[in-house]
Amino acid sequence: MDSTTQYSSVTTLVDTTADFATVTRYALTDSVVEVPRNEDLTDDLPLSTEASILASIRSNLNALGWVEVTDARATAVDVYVTASVSTTTNIFLNYFWWDYWYWYGYWPPGWGAGWGYYYPGYWYAYAYTTGTLLVNMIDARPTTPYAGQNRIPVVWTFAVNGVLEGQSTNIAVATAGIDQAFAQSPYLRGGPPQ
Amino acid sequence: MTRIQCTGARRSLSGWAAALLCLTMLSSPAAGQAPFMGTFTWSTAMPVGETKSYIDNYSWLGFTFEGDWFVKPNVSAGLILGWQEIYQEDDVSSFDFPTGTATGRTYRHLMVIPMLARARYWAGAEQERTVYPFGGLGLGTYRVRQTLDFGILTADDTHWHFGLAPEAGVLIGQRYGGTAFSFTIRYNYPFKAGDYLGGDKAAWSYWGFAIGIGATPR
């Protein structure tokens, strides 16, 4: 099977008003969150898969010419990139969001519980199925149109279905899907959306 | 019995198929004793129009059961009950929409069940021969199910259509009291109807090419 056909589907959504041309620095979270978390906070996702997912995202972001910032509180970044995997069906996008407040330590001061969220298009109603990798790109710049509105501006997001169909295929499915998500989003390189 | 069926058939649009059958049978005073020919065909399909836009793939999977009563030597009335699969699988297809793109394996499928009444005219059938060209018109309903699998997601819609099916072909063999082979070209045109995936009506038309074997009881 060709690597591009291992995932079952890849969906990307973009905020068409977002300015990607001026993005130069990004921060990538250091874990792939499983949603929902197990009661004992253990993870089902193999660490090797988690590392491969993050490495693949990082590789694609670097290929855009962007530079990774590892301490987003010390150095301002243009975008945050987060990753999570659903382990149950019917997970909604906004559900994903709140998990991040509990573990990611580099959000800008002031971001937190009580803020709303803003996703492009109709993602509010998007239901995820078991084994979906979801990656969000959040605009962190003060010039974002949503600055001051208590909104977390998700400007680009993608979902890869089929990530948990079999542990032996997790890595290949996830990385092939990540590559496809970037390949079908040329506007990240600064061109016009779509 | 035939006359009662015809009266009822005229009451609704979908009854026109039955009306067509009845009218052709009534054209002969000997309709009740009309010779019968039953045919089983292997039916293939070439999508056209909206069908081709959805599935651009020739289908080799389908069949029909057909029955014809010869109300005159050169006129028959009959029924068609069929099953036609039209499908296409793509490893990777991409769909662009205003705020994004979706890529994945797709499987597109149409299952079409034609249920038609048919009248046929047989050229030169007044004389005994072994090759009988014919032309006909089917009229009736189509049951169509549209399915789209995308990745691990699936969606489907099923609707009824009123439709027409002009046809032409040739029968080789014995029309009365024996067996014969048929080759038929039929244009299946279910009229635009339904509320299919994407929210639009559709006319799922296709050319049918069929090879059949017919039996005519002595």
Side-chain angles (χ1 to χ4, degrees):
Chain A
M1 178 182 286
D2 185 84
S3 63
T4 58
T5 63
Q6 290 177 331
Y7 53 81
S8 49
S9 67
V10 176
T11 304
T12 52
L13 288 174
V14 61
D15 180 346
T16 56
T17 66
D19 176 15
F20 294 105
T22 56
V23 173
T24 59
R25 289 172 296 195
Y26 72 92
L28 177 64
T29 50
D30 58 4
S31 302
V32 177
V33 174
E34 290 181 43
V35 181
R37 304 302 299 271
N38 293 333
E39 288 187 2
D40 58 2
L41 299 182
T42 58
D43 286 337
D44 298 322
L45 193 66
L47 287 176
S48 59
T49 301
E50 191 173 339
S52 296
I53 288 171
L54 292 173
S56 178
I57 296 170
R58 180 177 290 111
S59 173
N60 278 282
L61 290 168
N62 291 341
L64 297 173
W66 300 357
V67 176
E68 181 176 13
V69 171
T70 54
D71 184 349
R73 282 191 170 161
T75 306
V77 299
D78 299 317
V79 293
Y80 292 95
V81 180
T82 65
S84 59
V85 169
S86 74
T87 54
T88 61
T89 57
N90 299 320
I91 302 297
F92 287 85
L93 193 61
N94 55 12
Y95 186 89
F96 277 80
W97 179 251
W98 295 110
D99 252 41
Y100 288 112
W101 298 121
Y102 301 115
W103 60 271
Y104 185 60
Y106 298 109
W107 298 119
W111 286 25
W115 278 51
Y117 33 81
Y118 178 82
Y119 289 96
Y122 40 82
W123 277 66
Y124 284 105
Y126 194 97
Y128 291 89
T129 52
T130 301
T132 296
L133 167 68
L134 184 76
V135 174
N136 288 328
M137 182 180 292
I138 301 156
D139 196 337
R141 293 169 292 187
T143 54
T144 178
Y146 310 106
Q149 297 183 23
N150 284 7
R151 282 180 162 183
I152 308 301
V154 178
V155 290
W156 183 66
T157 186
F158 70 84
V160 182
N161 287 124
V163 176
L164 292 183
E165 287 181 348
Q167 291 203 349
S168 62
T169 63
N170 279 348
I171 294 174
V173 170
T175 57
I178 291 165
D179 289 345
Q180 175 60 35
F182 279 87
Q184 70 188 34
S185 305
Y187 40 80
L188 293 177
R189 297 185 180 277
Q194 307 301 308
Chain B
M1 189 175 75
T2 302
R3 189 176 301 278
I4 293 172
Q5 288 174 332
C6 290
T7 303
R10 290 195 182 98
R11 290 175 182 161
S12 67
L13 185 63
S14 60
W16 280 104
L20 177 68
L21 174 66
C22 291
L23 285 172
T24 50
M25 295 187 75
L26 285 172
S27 66
S28 168
Q33 294 80 40
F36 174 78
M37 179 174 65
T39 306
F40 173 78
T41 76
W42 171 41
S43 176
T44 67
M46 182 177 74
V48 294
E50 289 177 271
T51 308
K52 184 174 182 176
S53 298
Y54 183 57
I55 299 173
D56 190 8
N57 192 35
Y58 197 92
S59 170
W60 299 90
L61 185 57
F63 64 81
T64 64
F65 292 106
E66 305 180 14
D68 293 279
W69 289 265
F70 287 89
V71 294
K72 289 183 177 178
N74 58 359
V75 176
S76 66
L79 297 170
I80 303 170
L81 176 62
W83 174 75
Q84 187 68 54
E85 295 278 295
I86 303 173
Y87 54 93
Q88 182 174 6
E89 182 172 9
D90 293 315
D91 280 344
V92 177
S93 295
S94 285
F95 304 91
D96 292 325
F97 40 92
T99 58
T101 303
T103 302
R105 182 195 72 88
T106 59
Y107 179 72
R108 306 160 196 238
H109 177 240
L110 290 173
M111 183 185 71
V112 184
I113 300 176
M115 289 169 275
L116 308 170
R118 169 184 60 202
R120 269 182 179 171
Y121 178 78
W122 301 78
E126 291 81 0
Q127 299 174 350
E128 281 297 311
R129 51 199 296 180
T130 56
V131 177
Y132 299 93
F134 60 80
L137 177 66
L139 189 64
T141 59
Y142 290 81
R143 183 74 166 163
V144 182
R145 185 180 71 190
Q146 179 193 25
T147 304
L148 174 64
D149 293 346
F150 181 73
I152 56 175
L153 309 174
T154 187
D156 65 80
D157 263 313
T158 305
H159 296 285
W160 286 100
H161 297 250
F162 184 67
L164 288 173
E167 63 174 17
V170 62
L171 185 82
I172 302 174
Q174 293 179 284
R175 277 203 319 171
Y176 301 133
T179 58
F181 295 95
S182 66
F183 301 91
T184 309
I185 300 173
R186 180 178 300 136
Y187 181 65
N188 291 272
Y189 185 71
F191 294 151
K192 193 179 275 286
D195 179 18
Y196 286 98
L197 303 176
D200 295 325
K201 296 180 178 181
W204 301 114
S205 51
Y206 60 94
W207 283 98
F209 301 91
I211 301 173
I213 182 167
T216 55
R218 293 180 186 277

